[in-house]
Amino acid sequence: MAVYADPSVIECPSVGSTIVVALYDHAARKGGLAHFLLPTAREGLSSDRQATFVDTGFPALLQLMVQHGCLTENLVALYAGGAQFRKALADDALDIGVRNIRAVEQALAKAQIQVHGSHQGGAAGRSLFFDVSDGTLTVQTLSGAKILDFPPLGVAA
């Protein structure tokens, strides 16, 4: 988890059932990125591992953005990930990808951050490239095929 200023392109390879959240403040031209492994942290978990869980890491990302001069009312979000690699799972409660998606959606709604877009689910991993100069997020399959290029986060889709 980190906050970056223009000009930076951050690569996040091999996103499968995990989920990546990109936050962007178009006025400050700063972006934050977090790669979450699981939706919830266990009780008593050491603070150095809390960034890997949506329920503890997302609030920390928001706080970090504010510490770097971003305003929460300027933030927009995009997220990607949550693939399901086991088609045999009949119960969404057992599907970590679905649980990660739900946790991120709840965290964004609670923080009242506008969601600019998402690329979620499916059965394939993806790599992400976040361009902090304009908030563009490019999503590619792990084989390298470009599947989606989100417009800049500060611009209406």
Side-chain angles (χ1 to χ4, degrees):
M1 169 183 342
V3 173
Y4 304 89
D6 176 29
S8 295
V9 176
I10 300 97
E11 179 180 359
C12 194
S14 303
V15 178
S17 61
T18 61
I19 196 155
V20 173
V21 175
L23 297 178
Y24 189 69
D25 181 331
H26 54 18
R29 292 179 65 114
K30 292 182 181 176
L33 194 74
H35 189 171
F36 302 115
L37 304 179
L38 295 168
T40 55
R42 289 185 313 250
E43 203 171 310
L45 186 71
S46 67
S47 61
D48 63 329
R49 297 207 39 226
Q50 290 181 353
T52 59
F53 302 94
V54 176
D55 67 338
T56 53
F58 184 78
L61 176 60
L62 279 178
Q63 183 179 7
L64 195 58
M65 295 287 293
V66 170
Q67 288 172 355
H68 280 84
C70 298
L71 300 175
T72 55
E73 59 267 22
N74 289 346
L75 295 177
V76 290
L78 188 133
Y79 62 93
Q84 178 181 350
F85 295 110
R86 294 183 183 174
K87 292 182 181 182
L89 290 178
D91 185 359
D92 282 352
L94 300 175
D95 183 349
I96 195 64
V98 168
R99 291 175 51 217
N100 278 335
I101 292 167
R102 287 183 184 153
V104 164
E105 289 171 344
Q106 290 170 357
L108 289 166
K110 182 179 179 181
Q112 299 181 337
I113 294 178
Q114 177 188 0
V115 177
H116 189 71
S118 67
H119 189 271
Q120 56 181 287
R126 46 187 75 82
S127 291
L128 310 174
F129 303 87
F130 184 38
D131 186 342
V132 180
S133 68
D134 65 1
T136 301
L137 187 79
T138 301
V139 180
Q140 295 181 332
T141 63
L142 291 183
S143 64
K146 186 174 172 179
I147 54 173
L148 194 53
D149 212 0
F150 286 101
L153 284 173
V155 177

